[in-house]
């Protein structure tokens, strides 16, 4: 089956992902049009999961697609670089701006006008590429072409635009003068690694040491599967399902009085039917929306407002203010079909009846699960989440059918189920604010800045703690007659944990990191009052200078390949480098060198080097130099990328690391480098 093959391919790719990636495949051509005009066309095919940024994103955003002219003899540029294709617009929380990019394919067109019959063109397109985990350094695709063209006769030629008499044509970048372009320069600068051992490749040595690869996607899928399983276990404890378990198991046991094996087979079929139904729901969500839509929805403002309202409705339902129910006729109709049929079909309809009858209790849990999976941006997430949910939900029916004596030891239904519903209501209310925060950032309302968000979470978890300790009651508690009954010890302990969590978030109102909620809260940049001024900054942004200083100070070097437009680089700096132990190691025991692969500062003199495929390449900017260093010496081209070097031999002291916010492992990575550096 196509889906099964696709799933297998996905996990295979995650398992063998190499450090060097080439997700964008460009071609270039010159199209000669009528009237002495032409088009320089750059066409791209983009691998799944990656995107190429569009034009004119501004200096504060990621790398925009930009046209550079090296030599334009007999040709002049007309207008700005144009982007053609299905452009996607999304608001990015870190950059605080709307980004535009292309997935799967993109075309960039620069219009030109021929001024002489003979032309000589040497130009290139610079572009930026990212996925959800990392960004690549600025890349280029070149076009060099010479030829002749037939110009229109003067009487048919349109009047050219007026220019100043002494105006000299200059290379154009998106219609503006390109101060960094190099015009027809013959390069004789040798490759840097030819003169300095600092540039000698260590790819094989680094691979032998291993290290942390960027397998965050596989971690996310396992997390979603686990989250779905926990959601299924919670659903089992709902008042709509728990009382059904003994009745359903008894039904199968009665059918198995004459044939025990048949009863067990029927119980397994019943559990498998539940899995098929909920897994089908997850696949339906994927089929309806598709991978592109799921990615777009993760940051779509309108969709996130809808999710916020939906989760608030679910929370109020769990609080007992109203009940979400499907029409009774639906369940009666399916139950009738189950009675009229026999065999496996009958058991399947019985499972479908359970799904419909339990909808009032399971809908908020399923809704929260689908909300989380659809906004994860991974097309496989809804199916995996529902698979975990269905397995957990079907598990007790199957186990109790296999071991009927366990039913006597199972807890009876009662007020504890209502308590669980209210607790889940508070949790859904807290999650709802996460999606409202996305919409608030998208529209720039500034209604839910970081301190406001934390204040609301402090109130929510404070009230949850008060409820579990018995100080707060709901209408549903009055219906159960438990207003005067003290809360169980386990509830009081949970209440104390919730109150402690609320207290933990209070320093965040003044800028404390509160790393436990950093994935949910708005970025620190939205904090109006921030007393936290502790940041870790690299001492050097130049490789050679940093290595020379490390040799003089007798310290190992941590190379940080980063970028101004690298989102995950900023996450690592905010979540990992701010840890006191990490900060202490970086500032006292290491010489930290941050190399920005998208630094546009022109080199004092261009460099001619050979890339990993043996082709001659011109390095024009500082960022291009550091990007070349990363690919040539370390065999990697994604950021962030961290490697520890001996300053004398320029050899790695341990395996490299990529994006991973595990602080403990990062500390271990730094300490391993110190232990191996013996000088």
């Amino acid at each position: 089956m196509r889906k099964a093959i696709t799933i297998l391919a996905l996990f295979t790719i995650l398992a063998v992902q190499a450090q060097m990636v080439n997700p964008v495949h460009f071609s270039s051509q010159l199209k000669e049009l009528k009237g002495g005009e032409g088009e320089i066309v750059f066409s791209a095919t983009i691998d799944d999961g990656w995107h190429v940024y569009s034009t004119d994103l501004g200096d504060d955003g990621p790398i925009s697609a930009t046209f550079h002219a090296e030599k334009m003899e007999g040709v002049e540029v007309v207008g700005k670089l144009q982007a053609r294709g299905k452009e996607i617009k999304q608001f990015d929380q870190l950059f605080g701006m709307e980004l535009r990019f292309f997935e799967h394919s993109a075309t960039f067109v620069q219009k030109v006008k021929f001024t002489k019959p003979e032309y000589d063109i040497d130009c290139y397109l610079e572009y930026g590429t990212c996925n959800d985990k990392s960004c690549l350094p600025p890349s280029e695709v070149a076009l060099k072409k010479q030829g002749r063209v037939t110009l229109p006769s003067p009487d048919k030629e349109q009047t050219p635009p007026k220019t100043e008499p002494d105006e000299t044509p200059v290379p154009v970048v998106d219609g503006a003068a390109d101060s960094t372009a190099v015009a027809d320069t013959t390069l004789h600068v040798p490759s840097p690694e030819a003169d300095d051992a600092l540039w000698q490749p260590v790819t094989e040595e680094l691979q032998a040491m291993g290290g942390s690869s960027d397998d965050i996607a596989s971690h996310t899928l396992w997390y979603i599967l686990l989250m779905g399983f926990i959601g299924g276990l919670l659903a089992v404890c709902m008042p709509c399902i728990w009382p059904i378990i003994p009745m359903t198991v008894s039904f199968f046991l009665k059918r198995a009085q004459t044939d025990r094996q048949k009863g067990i087979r029927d119980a397994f079929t019943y559990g498998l039917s539940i899995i098929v139904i909920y897994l089908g729901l997850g696949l339906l969500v994927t089929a309806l929306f598709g991978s592109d839509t799921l990615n777009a929805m993760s940051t779509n403002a309108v969709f996130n407002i809808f999710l916020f309202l939906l989760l608030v409705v679910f929370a109020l339902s769990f609080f007992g203010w109203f009940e979400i129910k499907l029409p009774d006729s639906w369940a009666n109709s399916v139950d009738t079909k189950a009675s009229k049929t026999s065999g496996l079909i009958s058991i399947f309809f019985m499972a479908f009846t359970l799904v419909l009858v339990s909808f009032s209790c399971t809908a908020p849990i399923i809704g929260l699960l689908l909300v989380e999976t659809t906004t994860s941006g991974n097309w496989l997430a809804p199916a995996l989440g529902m698979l975990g949910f269905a397995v957990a939900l079907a598990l007790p029916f199957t186990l109790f059918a296999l071991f009927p004596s366990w039913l006597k030891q199972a807890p009876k239904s009662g007020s504890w189920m209502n308590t669980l519903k209210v607790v889940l209501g508070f949790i859904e209310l807290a999650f709802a604010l996460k999606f409202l925060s996305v919409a608030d950032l998208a529209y720039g309302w500034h209604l839910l800045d970081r301190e406001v968000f934390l204040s609301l979470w402090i109130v929510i978890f404070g009230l949850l703690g008060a409820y579990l300790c018995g100080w707060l009651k709901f209408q549903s508690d009055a219906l159960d007659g438990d207003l005067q009954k003290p809360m169980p010890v386990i509830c009081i302990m949970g209440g104390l944990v919730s109150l402690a969590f609320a207290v933990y978030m209070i320093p965040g109102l003044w800028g404390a990191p509160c790393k436990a909620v950093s994935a949910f809260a708005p970025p620190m940049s939205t904090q109006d009052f921030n007393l936290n001024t502790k940041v870790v900054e690299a001492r050097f942004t130049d490789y050679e200078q940093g290595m020379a200083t490390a040799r003089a100070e007798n310290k190992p070097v941590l190379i940080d390949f980063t970028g101004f437009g690298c989102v995950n680089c900023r996450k690592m700096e905010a979540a990992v480098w701010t840890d006191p132990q990490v900060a202490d190691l970086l500032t006292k025991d290491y010489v930290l060198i941050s190399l920005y692969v998208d630094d546009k500062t022109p080199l004092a003199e261009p460099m001619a080097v050979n890339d990993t495929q043996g082709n001659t390449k011109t390095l024009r900017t500082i960022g291009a130099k550091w990007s070349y260093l990363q690919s040539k010496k370390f065999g990697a081209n994604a950021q962030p990328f961290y490697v520890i070097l001996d300053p004398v031999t320029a050899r790695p002291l341990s395996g490299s690391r990529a994006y991973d916010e595990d602080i403990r492992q990062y500390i271990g990575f730094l300490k391993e480098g110190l232990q191996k550096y013996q000088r």
Side-chain angles (χ1 to χ4, degrees):
M1 294 177 63
R2 187 169 64 87
K3 288 186 178 293
I5 295 174
T6 304
I7 293 173
L8 178 61
L10 174 65
F11 282 105
T12 302
I13 291 172
L14 291 173
V16 300
Q17 182 182 24
Q19 290 183 332
M20 288 294 296
V21 292
N22 183 28
V24 183
H25 315 281
F26 258 105
S27 63
S28 60
Q29 62 175 319
L30 173 64
K31 290 184 177 181
E32 298 179 8
L33 306 178
K34 296 180 180 179
E37 296 182 345
E39 289 181 344
I40 300 175
V41 181
F42 302 95
S43 302
T45 301
I46 308 168
D47 292 349
D48 291 341
W50 291 85
H51 54 263
V52 172
Y53 288 107
S54 187
T55 59
D56 297 320
L57 296 182
D59 296 334
D60 296 330
I63 302 299
S64 304
T66 310
F67 179 78
H68 296 261
E70 291 287 308
K71 179 191 292 186
M72 301 291 282
E73 294 183 358
V75 183
E76 62 182 26
V77 175
V78 178
K80 294 185 176 183
L81 181 70
Q82 299 178 1
R84 299 176 183 175
K86 185 180 179 182
E87 190 177 66
I88 300 173
K89 297 181 180 180
Q90 285 187 10
F91 185 87
D92 188 274
Q93 295 186 16
L94 184 65
F95 287 110
M97 61 184 294
E98 185 178 68
L99 299 182
R100 296 175 287 106
F101 54 86
F102 297 91
E103 296 179 344
H104 305 304
S105 64
T107 302
F108 298 96
V109 178
Q110 177 62 63
K111 292 186 176 181
V112 296
K113 184 176 181 64
F114 296 100
T115 58
K116 297 179 181 180
E118 295 184 356
Y119 62 84
D120 187 355
I121 299 175
D122 184 0
C123 62
Y124 65 95
L125 174 77
E126 184 180 36
Y127 62 94
T129 308
C130 289
N131 64 5
D132 293 336
K133 301 174 291 182
S134 59
C135 290
L136 303 184
S139 303
E140 300 173 3
V141 53
L143 173 70
K144 295 183 179 181
K145 191 172 181 64
Q146 298 176 347
R148 294 181 59 87
V149 63
T150 302
L151 297 179
S153 57
D155 58 326
K156 295 182 180 180
E157 188 175 2
Q158 296 180 353
T159 303
K162 295 182 179 180
T163 59
E164 295 296 331
D166 297 330
E167 184 178 14
T168 302
V170 294
V172 174
V173 182
D174 276 2
D178 179 14
S179 61
T180 65
V182 181
D184 194 20
T185 302
T186 302
L187 303 176
H188 302 287
V189 182
S191 299
E193 69 271 17
D195 300 327
D196 199 332
L198 295 178
W199 291 76
Q200 291 297 326
V202 294
T203 304
E204 294 182 359
E205 189 175 344
L206 195 61
Q207 290 176 348
M209 292 182 175
S212 174
S213 62
D214 194 2
D215 57 353
I216 189 68
S218 60
H219 290 173
T220 301
L221 291 175
W222 281 112
Y223 165 76
I224 289 173
L225 184 64
L226 177 62
M227 185 172 64
F229 187 82
I230 294 174
L233 294 179
L234 292 174
V236 169
C237 301
M238 292 290 100
C240 297
I241 293 182
W242 188 260
I244 300 177
I245 295 177
M247 293 186 294
T248 306
V249 173
S250 299
F251 170 79
F252 286 114
L253 291 178
K254 289 179 181 178
R255 294 184 60 174
Q257 287 180 352
T258 57
D259 189 346
R260 173 62 174 165
Q261 291 184 349
K262 182 178 182 300
I264 295 175
R265 184 172 63 251
D266 288 347
F268 271 110
T269 303
Y270 184 72
L272 184 61
S273 298
I274 296 174
I275 295 175
V276 169
I277 292 170
Y278 282 109
L279 179 59
L281 177 60
L283 292 174
L284 179 63
V285 171
T286 299
L288 288 177
F289 295 106
S291 58
D292 292 341
T293 306
L294 290 178
N295 269 318
M297 286 194 306
S298 63
T299 54
N300 181 272
V302 176
F303 183 67
N304 277 276
I305 292 176
F306 169 76
L307 296 181
F308 163 72
L309 296 175
L310 183 66
L311 292 184
V312 169
V313 170
F314 287 157
L316 297 180
S317 172
F318 270 159
F319 289 153
W321 291 358
F322 55 85
E323 185 176 1
I324 302 174
K325 287 188 63 176
L326 292 174
D328 293 335
S329 58
W330 291 13
N332 294 335
S333 176
V334 175
D335 189 45
T336 301
K337 290 183 180 294
S339 302
K340 292 182 179 179
T341 56
S342 59
L344 298 178
I345 298 179
S346 174
I347 297 175
F348 179 82
F349 276 114
M350 287 181 59
F352 205 83
T353 303
L354 168 69
V355 173
L356 296 179
V357 171
S358 62
F359 183 80
S360 61
C361 291
T362 59
I365 299 176
I366 295 173
L368 177 61
L369 180 61
L370 288 177
V371 163
E372 280 293 295
T373 55
T374 53
T375 55
S376 70
N378 194 312
W379 68 271
L380 191 61
L384 277 180
M386 295 311 297
L387 175 62
F389 179 88
V391 169
L393 185 62
L395 194 61
F397 291 95
T398 306
L399 290 178
F400 285 136
L402 291 174
F403 308 101
S405 60
W406 288 7
L407 279 172
K408 299 179 181 179
Q409 303 175 1
K412 305 299 180 181
S413 59
S415 60
W416 64 273
M417 292 184 175
N418 179 71
T419 301
L420 181 60
K421 283 181 60 178
V422 173
V423 171
L424 290 178
F426 278 110
I427 294 175
E428 297 226 359
L429 196 59
F431 268 85
L433 292 175
K434 168 190 172 184
F435 300 102
L436 180 60
S437 173
V438 175
D440 179 70
L441 290 169
Y443 286 109
W445 296 331
H446 298 291
L447 299 176
L448 204 62
D449 289 342
R450 186 173 183 270
E451 62 268 34
V452 177
F453 182 95
L454 291 177
S455 297
L456 292 173
W457 265 40
I458 291 170
V459 172
I460 289 173
F461 285 96
L463 292 176
L464 173 59
Y467 175 78
L468 290 175
C469 291
W471 307 329
L472 177 68
K473 296 294 182 180
F474 281 81
Q475 183 179 0
S476 55
D477 297 312
L479 295 176
D480 289 338
D482 289 338
L483 287 177
Q484 304 301 323
K485 185 178 179 180
M487 299 296 284
V489 174
I490 188 172
C491 290
I492 295 176
M493 296 301 295
L496 295 178
V497 171
S498 183
L499 290 172
F501 183 60
V503 173
Y504 160 80
M505 290 186 287
I506 291 176
L509 301 176
W510 293 274
C514 293
K515 297 176 183 178
V517 298
S518 60
F520 305 98
M524 188 69 75
S525 59
T526 65
Q527 184 96 11
D528 293 330
F529 184 63
N530 188 358
L531 297 179
N532 183 18
T533 58
K534 185 177 182 180
V535 290
V536 176
E537 295 182 353
R539 291 174 59 188
F540 296 94
T541 56
D542 182 273
Y543 177 52
E544 289 88 351
Q545 291 180 4
M547 293 292 282
T549 300
R551 287 193 294 269
E553 296 181 359
N554 193 24
K555 291 182 179 180
V557 173
L558 176 66
I559 303 292
D560 162 38
F561 286 98
T562 182
F564 295 115
C566 176
V567 174
N568 284 335
C569 300
R570 303 293 87 77
K571 290 182 180 179
M572 288 291 292
E573 293 163 8
V576 179
W577 284 10
T578 55
D579 178 81
Q581 192 171 355
V582 173
D584 192 61
L585 287 169
L586 292 178
T587 54
K588 295 181 179 179
D589 299 316
Y590 278 92
V591 172
L592 177 60
I593 306 174
S594 289
L595 304 179
Y596 290 84
V597 298
D598 53 0
D599 190 337
K600 298 293 182 139
T601 305
L603 291 169
E605 188 175 4
M607 293 182 177
V609 297
N610 294 325
D611 61 16
T612 54
Q613 285 77 36
N615 301 318
T616 302
K617 181 179 180 180
T618 302
L619 306 181
R620 303 178 180 89
T621 65
I622 290 178
K625 179 181 178 181
W626 303 144
S627 177
Y628 173 76
L629 171 67
Q630 184 184 5
S631 61
K632 186 71 174 181
K633 184 175 180 68
F634 303 107
N637 63 345
Q639 294 79 44
F641 183 81
Y642 307 99
V643 61
I644 299 174
L645 298 182
D646 185 304
V648 177
T649 63
R651 297 287 174 178
L653 297 173
S654 65
S656 62
R657 286 191 67 81
Y659 172 68
D660 187 349
E661 295 186 26
D662 190 320
I663 296 176
R664 185 180 62 179
Q665 290 187 10
Y666 202 86
I667 292 174
F669 163 68
L670 296 176
K671 288 185 175 180
E672 180 184 1
L674 286 175
Q675 292 173 357
K676 292 185 178 180
Y677 182 71
Q678 300 176 355
R679 293 187 188 280

